[in-house]
Amino acid sequence: MLRVGINGFGTIGKRVADAVRAQPDMTVAGVAKRTPDYEAEIARDRGYSLFVAGEDTRPFTSADIDVAGRVCHLVDESDVVVDATPGGVGASNRSLYEEFETPAVFQGGEDASVAPVSFNARANYDEAVGADSVRVVSCNTTGLSRLLAPIDDRFGIEKVRATLVRRGGDPSQTGRGPINDTLPDPVSIPSHHGPDIQTVFPDLDIDTMGMKVPATLMHIHAVNLTLETTPTAGAVRNLLAAENRLLLVPERLGIDGAGKLKEFTRDAGRPRGDIWENCIWAESITVEPTTGGRGDCYLFQAIHQEADVVPESIDAIRAITGIAGKETSIRRTNDALGVGSGLLGIDAKSDVSTHDAASDD
Ligand code: NAD
């Protein structure tokens, strides 16, 4: 069993810890936290050994939270560390991981220079094999990478134009509100997402525009792809429906936005209401022929920012430690967590066929 330490037990870290615990080939060596807040109590109640990120353990002991040691002890005891500290803090932890020669998985809030590889399991798993560290790209970049990889493989992408309507903060980020505005963010174009996608797809021609809205549930992407070929919309739907981390949301369910998506997954009993998959509205997938045999493809997708990087973090652990190859790792992660197109009993493929039975290739 691979011993995985998790440094930072907030929105992403606590989900990664639970996902590691669910895997058949990994165990949680412990988690590190800086403050003895409610998430420290959750770590304790879940039975994770708690290490302190910092010098002073007294605030934890006076809050009646047992401490197993300091973060350096956790790094020493772990075969691999997932750094889920706030954006920018991971880079300052890099020397600690190097000191103990512990491979590290960083998160998307870090600059791409934090690790030699920016990672998405579907797009470039093999590039991370043997690396001593890797950066799982951000929630938005993960969502775009999963979408673009199969479309590029099958139909060829000439150009991507994507508008990312981003949630203003996570439900627990009270410090970001209250908010009542709709912002171009950033006003300059492209937003940082386009260059970030190019850390995974160096040759991709992509322009992104970012917005922020007063919402906490999910991001919504409006995507326009100029394809090198002109597939039917049904062919694009079938291709995407076959991908195990893409969920096609059927029209018949009447799910018209992020609110109903989240409600649906909570009703279905997903832990924390998490949606690990991209949610693509099936009827939004449209292809218009354009010049030179090319096609313009349009679609809307929703990304659950707190959850989609979690399965990718698990695969990143296997990639850098070399304990499994791409297909095995993705299958193992999906099986252990319950990721897949069968989510909520939605039979995406059968719904696709009612949309466009004659259009496949
Ligand atoms: P968070 O603020 O929810 O959690 C961070 C955790 O790290 C907290 O437990 C905090 O106590 C702890 N911490 C703070 N300073 C620390 C330090 N110096 N050493 C160790 N621990 C420390 O942050 P988050 O939202 O989970 O983000 C973590 C990383 O994941 C960031 O790089 C972020 O950009 C990325 N990410 C976040 C989201 C999201 O929507 N929340 C999505 C994808 C990726």
Side-chain angles (χ1 to χ4, degrees):
M1 294 285 260
L2 198 70
R3 289 164 303 155
V4 182
I6 294 116
N7 189 12
F9 193 76
T11 303
I12 301 300
K14 64 189 174 188
R15 288 172 166 83
V16 170
D18 291 351
V20 166
R21 181 177 261 179
Q23 305 303 310
D25 50 357
M26 301 177 192
T27 182
V28 178
V31 305
K33 266 204 68 65
R34 203 167 174 76
T35 40
D37 59 9
Y38 71 101
E39 284 167 328
E41 298 209 0
I42 287 169
R44 178 194 61 196
D45 294 348
R46 295 199 176 209
Y48 296 131
S49 298
L50 191 68
F51 295 77
V52 175
E55 298 299 319
D56 192 1
T57 58
R58 281 172 304 180
F60 284 81
T61 41
S62 30
D64 239 5
I65 296 173
D66 287 342
V67 168
R70 290 195 289 118
V71 67
C72 53
H73 304 125
L74 174 62
V75 175
D76 190 24
E77 289 172 22
S78 301
D79 298 316
V80 57
V81 169
V82 177
D83 187 296
T85 59
V89 175
S92 62
N93 288 331
R94 194 167 61 170
S95 56
L96 175 68
Y97 309 142
E98 285 169 352
E99 184 186 333
F100 289 94
E101 296 184 2
T102 306
V105 174
F106 294 98
Q107 296 297 322
E110 303 305 318
D111 190 84
S113 61
V114 77
V117 181
S118 287
F119 179 85
N120 172 258
R122 174 64 176 80
N124 68 348
Y125 187 101
D126 292 338
E127 285 176 31
V129 174
D132 59 3
S133 64
V134 70
R135 178 183 74 120
V136 173
V137 289
S138 74
C139 46
N140 280 303
T141 304
T142 293
L144 284 172
S145 298
R146 286 177 179 168
L147 174 73
L148 299 179
I151 295 180
D152 196 30
D153 287 351
R154 182 70 168 274
F155 303 121
I157 294 177
E158 186 176 293
K159 172 91 185 175
V160 181
R161 296 172 187 83
T163 301
L164 286 65
V165 181
R166 292 141 65 216
R167 58 72 175 119
D170 294 340
S172 65
Q173 286 177 311
T174 44
R176 294 202 183 182
I179 44 179
N180 178 18
D181 207 344
T182 300
L183 306 178
D185 180 59
V187 176
S188 56
I189 293 164
S191 66
H192 68 275
H193 307 93
D196 201 38
I197 274 278
Q198 286 164 332
T199 65
V200 181
F201 302 86
D203 300 326
L204 188 71
D205 186 359
I206 179 166
D207 289 334
T208 52
M209 298 169 76
M211 297 180 66
K212 261 190 190 165
V213 296
T216 60
L217 299 176
M218 300 178 82
H219 304 298
I220 304 280
H221 296 170
V223 182
N224 164 221
L225 311 167
T226 299
L227 305 177
E228 291 167 358
T229 54
T230 315
T232 61
V236 176
R237 285 189 205 112
N238 286 339
L239 175 78
L240 300 182
E243 291 287 317
N244 49 35
R245 290 184 184 167
L246 303 181
L247 171 69
L248 266 65
V249 180
E251 190 173 2
R252 66 182 160 76
L253 294 183
I255 293 179
D256 58 6
K260 287 201 180 100
L261 270 174
K262 290 301 313 274
E263 183 71 358
F264 198 18
T265 45
R266 281 193 294 261
D267 286 346
R270 275 279 178 107
R272 301 184 174 94
D274 280 353
I275 312 177
W276 298 296
E277 305 85 347
N278 296 24
C279 298
I280 301 167
W281 277 275
E283 76 266 32
S284 74
I285 300 172
T286 306
V287 181
E288 300 287 343
T290 178
T291 55
R294 296 185 294 262
D296 270 340
C297 176
Y298 300 87
L299 58 87
F300 284 115
Q301 67 172 0
I303 302 296
H304 185 200
Q305 74 281 354
E306 297 163 287
D308 73 330
V309 298
V310 172
E312 308 299 329
S313 297
I314 300 298
D315 291 330
I317 292 169
R318 291 202 186 90
I320 59 170
T321 56
I323 62 167
K326 174 180 177 178
E327 304 305 332
T328 304
S329 178
I330 291 175
R331 192 177 55 248
R332 207 174 277 167
T333 304
N334 291 350
D335 288 351
L337 295 179
V339 178
S341 60
L343 171 71
L344 312 171
I346 296 173
D347 184 348
K349 291 191 186 74
S350 69
D351 193 78
V352 167
S353 65
T354 61
H355 263 286
D356 199 343
S359 57
D360 50 355
D361 71 359

